[in-house]
Amino acid sequence: MIAEHDLADRRQGPAVTDDLEGRGEGGGLLTEVDWRWVFAVNLPIGIAALVVGRSALPKPAARETGPLPDLLGALLVIVSIASLAGALVQAPDQGWTSGEALLLLTVAVIGGAAFVLRSLRHPRPLFELDLLRLPRFGAANAGSLLFGVAFSIMLLSNVLWCQEVWHWSALRTGLALAPGPALVPVVTVLTTRTAQRFGQGPLIAAGGVLFAGGMVWFAIFASVTPEYVSELLPSQLLTGAGVGLALGTLVAAGVHAVPGHRAATGSALVNSVRQISATIGVAVLVAVVGSHVDATSHHDFRVVWYTAAALGLVTSAVGARLSRGRGQGPERTGPAAPKGAEATGRALPQTS
């Protein structure tokens, strides 16, 4: 939404959606019909998931009748993240000391602080933040946040570069960027046994290094003259392999670190961190590159590419930290888990 707003005058924002979905056919919808139809791609998938889920998923023994989670807390975190993203996007054009930017930053800080305090005191908080005190769970979520920011920077920057600097169409851009997302599930499946044998830490560490290598490659070799095979394709293959190793593994490491009786709330926190990181990543990219992208933006793109690479290397350090605790089961916090309640340590990776 942020990218689309700032780039609306050039009507290229929708291509971001195509790449985030990782589907070449999305580019066809953008160019042949209308960009709004790209959102309809998820409708049949969602309906099919509901139909299959009703028959395949286990039904709960009893309907949940307890009170809802903290709705005010939900509002506070939404306002805080939205204000932070807005400040990062508006500040480069209006100045970091402008009234609007300072107001948004103030709202973000106050809203975030109020959310944390309320979550620590509320009987049914939106997020159980005390889970972050668990060393492995906290480390996995820190890695998810950092890698999620880098991941979002990579996705959106590639789209903008191809369309605004190389002047490719949405369809050509989608097809050119397909090898990276296509490699993610392949790498994830092929390394499942490796994760079971050696733990999640080594995979995260390797994934961070590969991802950083892909970003550095493009930062060094990318030129305003399109050279797909020698410039973009190697970067796509390296980052795709890195995402396949690290992204889903970070989610699994976080879920596995939570005691079984708190797996639901822990999993919700893990996935929320990923979504928040995506918002921050897009905002950081727009803040650095700006709303007007062309061949003169080469230096700004290199800054964000090197930033994403640095975040990938920090993620590798998180993986090394998790490797030192390999073999540990779920960490204990609060009341003991009910008998037989153990975390599975598995989570479905998501790349959008």
Side-chain angles (χ1 to χ4, degrees):
M1 292 179 65
I2 295 169
E4 182 179 337
H5 171 75
D6 277 322
L7 303 171
D9 57 328
R10 289 172 286 108
R11 301 178 64 83
Q12 299 298 336
V16 176
T17 305
D18 174 51
D19 187 59
L20 290 177
E21 292 296 328
R23 303 172 184 272
E25 63 269 22
L29 286 174
L30 297 178
T31 56
E32 301 299 331
V33 187
D34 183 88
W35 68 264
R36 294 171 181 83
W37 280 98
V38 75
F39 297 102
V41 172
N42 291 325
L43 288 178
I45 298 175
I47 293 173
L50 288 174
V51 173
V52 174
R54 286 181 63 86
S55 59
L57 296 176
K59 295 179 174 58
R63 182 179 295 273
E64 176 63 48
T65 58
L68 293 173
D70 182 19
L71 297 181
L72 179 56
L75 178 61
L76 286 172
V77 73
I78 291 172
V79 169
S80 178
I81 298 300
S83 298
L84 176 61
L88 291 174
V89 170
Q90 297 297 329
D93 291 332
Q94 300 187 9
W96 288 97
T97 59
S98 65
E100 183 175 349
L102 291 176
L103 176 61
L104 288 172
L105 287 173
T106 301
V107 171
V109 172
I110 295 176
F115 169 73
V116 171
L117 292 175
R118 185 173 177 84
S119 296
L120 294 175
R121 298 174 181 176
H122 198 277
R124 290 181 65 86
L126 182 69
F127 300 141
E128 294 189 31
L129 298 181
D130 62 305
L131 289 174
L132 295 174
R133 298 173 183 172
L134 300 175
R136 290 180 61 80
F137 184 77
N141 275 276
S144 292
L145 179 65
L146 297 171
F147 196 76
V149 172
F151 179 67
S152 297
I153 289 174
M154 180 269 293
L155 285 178
L156 179 54
S157 67
N158 284 345
V159 173
L160 294 178
W161 181 265
C162 289
Q163 291 198 259
E164 302 305 318
V165 179
W166 285 357
H167 303 293
W168 286 359
S169 67
L171 178 59
R172 187 177 182 182
T173 297
L175 293 175
L177 299 179
L183 194 58
V184 171
V186 176
V187 172
T188 301
V189 171
L190 292 179
T191 56
T192 299
R193 291 187 177 180
T194 304
Q196 294 172 347
R197 181 176 181 181
F198 298 104
Q200 295 129 341
L203 294 185
I204 296 170
V209 170
L210 287 174
F211 181 90
M215 299 309 300
V216 170
W217 179 282
F218 205 40
I220 292 176
F221 295 107
S223 63
V224 295
T225 302
E227 293 290 345
Y228 177 71
V229 174
S230 62
E231 296 177 3
L232 182 57
L233 182 59
S235 175
Q236 282 287 291
L237 296 178
L238 286 170
T239 56
V243 171
L245 288 171
L247 190 61
T249 311
L250 282 164
V251 175
V255 174
H256 182 67
V258 181
H261 66 299
R262 303 182 73 177
T265 52
S267 178
L269 181 54
V270 168
N271 285 285
S272 296
V273 167
R274 284 190 57 250
Q275 299 302 324
I276 291 172
S277 70
T279 301
I280 296 175
V282 172
V284 168
L285 173 64
V286 177
V288 175
V289 175
S291 58
H292 302 286
V293 179
D294 53 33
T296 63
S297 305
H298 197 176
H299 172 74
D300 295 332
F301 274 99
R302 279 181 171 166
V303 170
V304 294
W305 289 334
Y306 282 126
T307 300
L311 292 174
L313 292 178
V314 177
T315 302
S316 293
V318 173
R321 164 69 179 82
L322 292 171
S323 298
R324 291 199 292 269
R326 187 171 69 88
Q328 294 181 1
E331 300 171 280
R332 296 291 183 182
T333 178
K339 184 178 180 180
E342 297 294 339
T344 62
R346 303 300 301 166
L348 294 176
Q350 301 174 352
T351 58
S352 63

